[in-house]
Amino acid sequence: MSFFQKLTFFLGVLTIPYLLGMSGLFFGHSPPILNGAGGSFPYPLYSKWYFEYTKIDPSVRFNYQPIGSGGGIHQLLSHTIDFAGSDSPIPDSLITGSSREVIHIPTVAGAVVIAYNLANVPLLNLNKETLSGIFLGEITRWNDPRIVFLNPQATLPDLPIVVIHRSDGSGTTYIFTEYLSKISQRWAILAGKGTSVRWQIGIGAKGNAGVAAAIKTINGSIGYIELAYALQNGFPMAAIQNQIGQYVAPSMESVTKAFPRSFDHKDFRISLTDSAEEGAYPIAGLTWILLNINSTPPLRLECLIKFLSWALTDGQTYVLPMDYAPLPSSLRQNVLHLLEEVRRKNSLSAFPWSQRRSCWLLVGKECKISCPNLAIFKNK
């Protein structure tokens, strides 16, 4: 190499840090974006988590679209997003294979509440027969003797019952219809359970917010929404008879009591509906972040693991104030252990975080600088 070639190379090396700094790579002006989509059930909490976490780690940004659990699952399995939010678990047939290994990371629990619009009826009791009868279209008026019998303290009007349900693929729908399928054989046959089902009656609305708005607008309406939306809109909520005969109102305490005393420490697809535990609210459910660990690029997976580990520890301080139920300590510890196992298997685990982030940013800008580890980062 001639003297001038050596000089040119040396000056080029000195110039690289300046150019990278000007482009914002080392100073975080153009942080990578982690794309997610899915359930609207946890969206208020997730938005808060994303906002708070980026204060701690400005090297990442989140873009999460609350399109419903069904849409999030579809996009994750189509490899168009980095993670999905879902209130419904994915069956084994869809989560294993050469290009996918989806793991369920529970984040919090919540209640699906039965909200209604009836003047001067602040308290309402519903048992299994009346609740399934209303949503099957077999009980059509509020003064039906079966409802009156359960509510002697209330003056129920001679008014049609207007059922409001979700029109989009929804994990909230999954939790509610899983419960109805457990308590009513007729419901299980006619409608079944899922993020979308064959509704027998009612008006469809999109998202928890859409159902809440419809209930607020229509006198005599009843529908199912996530607890936070019911509280924020000041809806009265029915107390539901649980498996051991107690009428239980939805609350953080009654949701927490729905957790089973034992669970599979590797598979966190845990059902909370129709719990047999004392004081348990029967229409409760988990919400999960879904990760496709076979197809997610290593650095994106690493960022998601770091975020979820924070969400399950320091991030839990935001859970109760936003009307969600935190996971029991034993469950959180098992989930954190799984995340650590996934992290150790990640091909980038041998490299320091600062080096991983620098290489990610370089590749993200399609920089052609020679880097001995660049091949690992080529898919960032």
Side-chain angles (χ1 to χ4, degrees), residues 10-32:
F10 177 70
L11 292 175
V13 170
L14 291 179
T15 304
I16 286 169
Y18 173 77
L19 293 176
L20 293 174
M22 292 295 290
S23 66
L25 291 176
F26 286 164
F27 296 96
H29 294 166
S30 300

Side-chain angles (χ1 to χ4, degrees), residues 211-275:
V211 173
I215 296 171
K216 179 173 283 190
T217 302
I218 302 172
N219 188 30
S221 60
I222 186 172
Y224 60 94
I225 53 177
E226 194 271 324
L227 177 59
Y229 284 88
L231 293 173
Q232 291 163 12
N233 287 275
F235 287 122
M237 296 171 279
I240 308 299
Q241 187 182 43
N242 68 12
Q243 190 178 137
I244 60 176
Q246 301 170 315
Y247 285 91
V248 181
S251 68
M252 295 304 99
E253 182 181 7
S254 61
V255 169
T256 301
K257 289 180 177 179
F259 279 92
R261 299 182 185 183
S262 61
F263 50 85
D264 187 333
H265 290 184
K266 293 293 185 181
D267 187 346
F268 299 115
R269 290 174 290 179
I270 303 167
S271 174
L272 304 184
T273 55
D274 199 29
S275 171

Side-chain angles (χ1 to χ4, degrees), residues 270-292:
I270 303 167
S271 174
L272 304 184
T273 55
D274 199 29
S275 171
E277 300 294 329
E278 179 82 17
Y281 179 70
I283 320 177
L286 286 169
T287 189
W288 296 269
I289 290 290
L290 308 180
L291 302 179
N292 191 344

